[in-house]
Amino acid sequence: MKIAILGGDGFVGWPTTLHLSDLGHEVHIVDNLSRRWIDTELGVQSLTPMDSIQERCRIWREVTGRQIHFHLIDLAKEYERLKGWLAEHRPDAVIHFAEQRAAPYSMKTDRHKVYTVNNNTNATHNLLAALVETDIDAHLVHLGTMGVYGYSSVGAAIPEGYLDVDIETLDGSKAQQEILYPTKPGSVYHMTKSLDQILFQFYAQNDGLRITDLHQGIVWGTHTAQTRRHEQLINRFDYDGDYGTVLNRFLIQAAIDYPLTVHGTGGQTRAFIHIQDSVRCIELALGDAPQAGERVRIFNQMTETHRVRDLAKLVSKLTGAKIAWLPNPRKEAEENDLVVRNDQFLALGLEPTTLAEGLLEEVVEVAKRYAHRIDRSRVPAVSAWTRDLAQKLNRDPEGKALKSVS
Ligand code: NAD
Ligand code: USQ
């Protein structure tokens, strides 16, 4: 297949690109490299040294003989170029990772909120409109988030996207409807993924676009089978307070002897998936495309759920790291249960990678190797969801005063 990977320079996009190229597909990365610019804005860098995208593609060709093509396009701002690119290349499938994906970054200031909404909703809508306009029948696979469901627990498992409801009609009988599971996003970033869902619903129904939306949990780990093949193929690894995600953060914190930054009681339960399983799920979703006219196919892309404090205790037991119990900068439930259905990927053959000690240790090893690249002052999460929370958040785990970086 000819596959366009939008956002293929990112943390999940790059290993997916390598995985699909390894399987023999013709792969084209389309990316505006905005994530690299955001590192510059924030004054941080990936824990792992990332080469330029062109150099990464050159190394892949040297190692495997396979070519990955790179195209610099801003999906949110360059509609005509995107349309022209699609018309010229006519991909069989499009995988859409190209959004601003950090909840804390999206909540930093009003400017960051505006950027995240403009970037994410325009990128998605431009893509949909361009697919219709160019009359390309590509399977669109989008990376969404478990966060659209809001982690609420009413004592029932979260289904895969849709909910059957009974509605009382005017004559008092019951009408049945299948609706999108009610969204309850917890950040501006998560809100953009909820908006994406509506855009997909409309274009599938109106134009027959074939769309799969993958509601993914928190991705952890760093290496995949392909990124291990050469040190210059190494994946991005975010550790900072905005882009670093909880389990990967705990693992690098343990590696540099930094107290594990648990927000609040650590009673938040979240869904997780290892990066190797994430790329495998995308392969599985590609092989199971909907027909034109079908509703959007929604999968929950996660393999297990964990409570934040349990992860901290696990990492502490494994490494001896101390745990810091910090005021939570986010407005979120202190404690929640989370039960999630993921039957569809299991039925397609996903064999979940769980929190095996070996893989946790692998991340700690990577972090130790590149520990000299870590700026400890960038570890704390300084982005607060409300003004009140910002006032409470004034000390980092090492006792230094915190300031919000804008
Ligand atoms: P990332 O930030 O590392 O990668 C996103 C890529 O998209 C970057 O290379 C960036 O330059 C590019 N991009 C952003 N806006 C663009 C635009 N307007 N035009 C062109 N390129 C643009 O993110 P990631 O961690 O690889 O996540 C990829 C996708 O998966 C995101 O949509 C995210 O919401 C979703 N997701 C990620 C996680 C996770 O834990 N990392 C979990 C669930 C879902
Ligand atoms: N947390 C801590 N300490 C930390 C960092 C986070 O206790 O140092 C807590 C947070 O308060 C939150 C939980 O851990 O309760 C998860 O935070 P996170 O930063 O790991 O994940 P989140 O902000 O939800 O976002 C990440 C990705 C996003 C993706 C989402 C999937 O950045 O792109 O959509 O995970 S999900 O969480 O399932 O919605």
Side-chain angles (χ1 to χ4, degrees):
M1 269 198 276
K2 189 184 222 184
I3 305 178
I5 307 198
L6 317 180
D9 187 45
F11 169 61
V12 191
W14 175 242
T16 303
T17 300
L18 298 186
H19 183 70
L20 295 176
S21 173
D22 215 17
L23 290 172
H25 297 293
E26 179 183 327
V27 179
H28 293 254
I29 292 177
V30 177
D31 200 302
N32 67 347
L33 307 184
S34 52
R35 182 66 194 88
R36 293 181 185 246
W37 277 105
I38 290 174
D39 272 346
T40 306
E41 173 199 344
L42 298 175
V44 294
Q45 57 181 353
S46 162
L47 164 77
T48 47
M50 284 167 75
D51 282 347
S52 71
I53 184 63
Q54 292 87 348
E55 180 66 1
R56 289 170 133 188
C57 295
R58 185 184 72 78
I59 297 291
W60 179 246
R61 191 163 191 185
E62 217 173 79
V63 171
T64 64
R66 297 187 190 279
Q67 192 168 1
I68 295 170
H69 308 264
F70 169 63
H71 312 268
L72 184 69
I73 301 177
D74 186 326
L75 304 181
K77 290 189 180 149
E78 297 181 294
Y79 176 72
E80 292 300 330
R81 284 193 65 216
L82 168 64
K83 193 167 78 175
W85 188 88
L86 285 170
E88 184 187 341
H89 292 276
R90 304 195 76 79
D92 303 301
V94 176
I95 308 176
H96 175 24
F97 294 101
E99 295 182 88
Q100 190 302 98
R101 71 101 177 131
Y105 183 87
S106 79
M107 300 301 285
K108 272 181 126 41
T109 66
D110 55 346
R111 178 173 71 79
H112 295 90
K113 291 176 188 177
V114 168
Y115 166 74
T116 301
V117 171
N118 285 345
N119 187 65
N120 295 4
T121 50
N122 282 330
T124 299
H125 188 261
N126 284 349
L127 174 62
L128 292 164
L131 284 171
V132 173
E133 198 53 30
T134 49
D135 200 17
I136 293 177
D137 180 35
H139 176 201
L140 169 58
V141 178
H142 171 252
L143 271 291
T145 176
M146 284 298 304
V148 296
Y149 300 121
Y151 328 107
S152 81
S153 189
V154 289
I158 293 185
E160 304 205 60
Y162 296 96
L163 191 65
D164 290 322
V165 293
D166 282 343
I167 302 177
E168 191 172 318
T169 61
L170 295 175
D171 66 12
S173 62
K174 295 271 192 255
Q176 288 203 322
Q177 274 217 358
E178 185 189 63
I179 59 169
L180 281 173
Y181 194 90
T183 69
K184 201 177 174 211
S187 73
V188 165
Y189 153 72
H190 288 102
M191 183 183 75
T192 63
K193 297 284 183 175
S194 299
L195 298 172
D196 282 345
Q197 285 200 106
I198 309 290
L199 301 179
F200 295 139
Q201 190 180 45
F202 174 77
Y203 277 93
Q205 168 199 301
N206 195 64
D207 298 285
L209 291 193
R210 299 186 297 123
I211 304 173
T212 299
D213 202 0
L214 304 175
H215 289 180
Q216 186 168 233
I218 300 169
V219 182
W220 69 280
T222 179
H223 286 311
T224 60
Q226 289 78 28
T227 64
R228 281 192 192 91
R229 286 167 76 171
H230 191 287
E231 64 173 326
Q232 284 174 274
L233 296 175
I234 200 160
N235 200 11
R236 158 184 278 288
F237 190 114
D238 299 310
Y239 70 88
D240 60 285
D242 286 309
Y243 276 87
T245 53
V246 64
L247 179 54
N248 274 2
R249 270 165 66 72
F250 288 170
L251 292 165
I252 72 99
Q253 289 166 357
I256 62 166
D257 202 17
Y258 193 101
L260 310 183
T261 55
V262 174
H263 296 165
T265 64
Q268 308 93 315
T269 309
R270 294 290 183 271
F272 290 84
I273 183 164
H274 189 266
I275 185 81
Q276 183 72 63
D277 285 357
S278 179
V279 304
R280 168 86 174 129
C281 283
I282 291 158
E283 176 198 343
L284 293 172
L286 275 177
D288 191 42
Q291 302 291 317
E294 233 181 81
R295 65 172 193 186
V296 176
R297 203 167 275 191
I298 302 179
F299 292 75
N300 290 338
Q301 184 164 316
M302 50 72 69
T303 54
E304 53 194 328
T305 59
H306 294 283
R307 225 172 257 281
V308 166
R309 64 170 166 264
D310 294 338
L311 292 177
K313 285 177 188 162
L314 177 69
V315 173
S316 171
K317 194 170 147 218
L318 193 70
T319 63
K322 290 197 192 70
I323 298 178
W325 304 91
L326 302 171
N328 193 345
R330 304 187 185 199
K331 190 166 178 173
E332 60 184 359
E334 278 199 5
E335 306 270 330
N336 70 289
D337 292 320
L338 187 62
V339 184
V340 181
R341 307 216 57 144
N342 63 347
D343 312 58
Q344 295 184 97
F345 271 129
L346 296 178
L348 288 177
L350 176 68
E351 290 171 17
T353 306
T354 48
L355 291 194
E357 287 203 352
L359 287 172
L360 294 169
E361 273 157 5
E362 180 185 67
V363 179
V364 177
E365 284 315 308
V366 170
K368 282 189 175 153
R369 173 151 183 228
Y370 296 109
H372 58 281
R373 292 171 55 86
I374 295 177
D375 176 349
R376 296 173 79 88
S377 74
R378 294 304 185 197
V379 174
V382 294
S383 180
W385 262 227
T386 63
R387 284 197 190 90
D388 287 352
L389 288 167
Q391 276 169 6
K392 284 191 203 150
L393 179 81
N394 53 14
R395 296 269 140 203
D396 78 4
E398 297 186 316
K400 294 192 206 85
L402 282 176
K403 271 197 216 111
S404 183
V405 183
S406 60

